[in-house]
Amino acid sequence: VEAHMDKLAEALGMDGLAFRLKNAQHPGEVTPQGMHFKSCGLKECLTTAAERSGFLRKQAENRTHWKDPGAIKRGIGMASMLHVGGGAKIYPSDGCGTILKIDDFAHVTLITGASEIGQGSETVLAQLVCEELGLPMTAVTVVNNDTDITPWDVGVHASRTTFIAGNSAIGAARKAKQKILDAAAAKAGVPAETLFLQDGFIVKGENRERLFELAKFLRSLHFSDKADLVMTSFYYEPPSHHQDKQFKGDVSAAYAWATQVCEIEIDTQTGIVRLLKVTGAHDVGRVLNRLGIEGQIEGGIVMGQGYAITEDLRVEAGVIRNPNFRDYKLVTAPEIPEMDVSFIETMDGEGPQGAKGVGEAPAICIAAAVANAIHNATGTRITALPFTPENVYRALHGASEPPVWNAA
């Protein structure tokens, strides 16, 4: 699709950025497939990535060197993506359950259906709960490792955990907060609407006057004549819909966008492609954990780099021909490019604190952007992955022409 965007722009005499901006989706749009884009930062992604990378200047400059002597050429390419950012209703339910309890010392146990597979969900869920309850991160323990105990969740897929499990955790935390504030309001003789939880205290009004230490107040609830504990549960089901028989439907509660610009160096004598720099801009709704989301984007870029340039699973007659890392080439540290990542915060109304899912997004654009960069460097468009030296050389010189090696 992104190669076609460049080809269409060229046929119309437009630059690729202007063509993409003219056709970019916008907030409020409803697509022919029934997807409703309540928030959308695609145009901001396009302009941010283009400006930070110097895309238009470098693209024009690279084209002037196609016929220059020398084997080494530079190229720059752009690609964008649309992805579900609020779950994807491919099953009857796309929800997640949460059980939350607060003990007599204001320590929170958050029991979530969401699984932790290294994406950092435990940290984000704890952050969201702390934000609601006015507690430090050290006061929250996340339990997610035993399905005999945890509530139901559909699974870790579709970049959905922060959005779906996050909303579920917030729902449980808000129910707990309301229970605490109602009890505190009755004891203090003030409206519950004037009370807040902050820094381990129940506070009142705009000046945040401290009324009760939260831990002591919870103990007073527990050991009173009408003993009570703070335990809540919440199940969040996103307001999305199954596709119908015509494959139409608003399948996600929110949608995410990104634009990535890849800069490459290509040796036309050997077909070797080096990814030098990736400039990305991602509509993430809102950044909840800066370090975590940067790591997610960086890891996804490297995953996309392998998909684009090195990884080639060979299956013949049902047998994998390269079942080891000698023949199945993974990207290693020396090949990782420079990265410049920006976040576009569109504050999605349905997302937890405005956030959208971002898990798969950074890996999606890389191959298309590299393909466009190869064309920008050489004038040759390659439409098959991966861009290994052999495949690139054959595309540039023809399958039967042997490589020409310079004499040492």
Side-chain angles (χ1 to χ4, degrees):
V1 173
E2 284 296 313
H4 280 297
M5 295 293 281
D6 272 8
K7 291 165 73 175
L8 288 167
E10 187 175 350
L12 292 170
M14 297 176 65
D15 68 70
L17 175 61
F19 184 74
R20 287 174 171 85
L21 287 169
K22 189 175 182 64
N23 291 278
Q25 287 127 347
H26 54 81
E29 180 176 343
V30 179
T31 74
Q33 284 182 291
M35 295 184 289
H36 185 190
F37 302 146
K38 302 174 188 70
S39 65
C40 174
L42 177 55
K43 289 185 178 180
E44 292 87 346
C45 289
L46 284 162
T47 54
T48 300
E51 289 170 3
R52 293 185 67 87
S53 64
F55 174 74
L56 292 177
R57 175 183 59 81
K58 292 176 182 178
Q59 185 185 53
E61 182 180 335
N62 292 335
R63 285 176 182 149
T64 66
H65 298 300
W66 283 0
K67 296 183 179 180
D68 287 359
I72 306 299
K73 306 291 184 183
R74 289 283 185 102
I76 189 169
M78 171 183 286
S80 297
M81 72 99 214
L82 157 66
H83 198 264
V84 292
K89 192 156 286 185
I90 56 178
Y91 303 110
S93 173
D94 191 32
C96 177
T98 299
I99 300 168
L100 183 146
K101 62 177 184 176
I102 310 179
D103 68 16
D104 291 346
F105 301 94
H107 187 92
V108 180
T109 301
L110 180 72
I111 306 171
T112 176
S115 300
E116 172 64 69
I117 59 170
Q119 79 276 40
S121 64
E122 290 181 354
T123 302
V124 169
L125 295 180
Q127 282 182 278
L128 292 169
V129 168
C130 288
E131 185 75 16
E132 293 295 328
L133 299 179
L135 293 169
M137 289 282 286
T138 53
V140 179
T141 298
V142 179
V143 177
N144 56 16
N145 56 0
D146 187 345
T147 54
D148 282 341
I149 298 171
T150 59
W152 192 86
D153 178 65
V154 74
V156 182
H157 64 266
S159 306
R160 63 182 290 281
T161 301
T162 293
F163 193 100
I164 305 295
N167 274 330
S168 181
I170 287 173
R174 286 178 178 170
K175 288 175 71 175
K177 176 169 66 175
Q178 193 60 52
K179 183 173 183 177
I180 293 167
L181 296 184
D182 286 344
K187 188 171 185 178
V190 298
E193 297 77 27
T194 65
L195 301 182
F196 307 90
L197 297 179
Q198 179 178 297
D199 298 330
F201 287 85
I202 299 170
V203 299
K204 174 187 161 186
E206 293 183 1
N207 63 353
R208 298 303 195 256
E209 175 191 354
R210 290 182 173 182
L211 299 182
F212 309 106
E213 183 184 348
L214 180 58
K216 288 184 178 179
F217 184 78
L218 292 169
R219 289 195 292 274
S220 74
L221 287 180
H222 185 187
F223 300 115
S224 67
D225 292 338
K226 297 180 179 179
D228 198 3
L229 298 175
V230 178
M231 295 186 293
T232 65
S233 65
F234 190 83
Y235 185 79
Y236 175 74
E237 181 68 42
S240 49
H241 304 280
H242 268 294
Q243 288 184 334
D244 60 23
K245 292 182 179 179
Q246 295 180 319
F247 304 104
K248 295 180 180 180
D250 193 15
V251 297
S252 185
Y255 297 87
W257 286 262
T259 297
Q260 288 173 331
V261 175
C262 290
E263 298 177 54
I264 61 124
E265 182 180 86
I266 180 170
D267 187 332
T268 58
Q269 287 188 341
T270 64
I272 294 174
V273 176
R274 292 179 57 229
L275 183 58
L276 303 178
K277 184 177 181 180
V278 176
T279 305
H282 289 256
D283 172 9
V284 299
R286 186 182 187 183
V287 175
L288 299 181
N289 184 303
R290 182 82 188 194
L291 184 63
I293 200 170
E294 286 178 350
Q296 186 73 34
I297 299 295
E298 290 166 358
I301 286 172
V302 176
M303 186 175 181
Q305 179 185 4
Y307 175 66
I309 298 176
T310 65
E311 298 182 41
D312 187 14
L313 185 66
R314 300 290 183 91
V315 182
E316 297 176 7
V319 178
I320 298 176
R321 307 306 300 177
N322 55 340
N324 55 68
F325 293 133
R326 180 192 65 188
D327 301 316
Y328 184 88
K329 307 295 184 183
L330 291 177
V331 173
T332 56
E335 293 93 52
I336 293 176
E338 178 186 351
M339 302 178 196
D340 178 5
V341 180
S342 301
F343 299 110
I344 309 301
E345 295 189 301
T346 52
M347 298 299 294
D348 189 83
E350 184 66 24
Q353 300 290 344
K356 302 179 183 181
V358 72
E360 294 152 288
I364 294 173
C365 299
I366 298 295
V370 170
N372 287 337
I374 291 173
H375 178 264
N376 179 240
T378 65
T380 298
R381 193 165 291 284
I382 305 176
T383 57
L385 295 173
F387 305 126
T388 60
E390 179 182 4
N391 292 340
V392 172
Y393 183 88
R394 287 180 170 178
L396 295 176
H397 299 283
S400 61
E401 185 178 337
V404 178
W405 303 95
N406 288 330

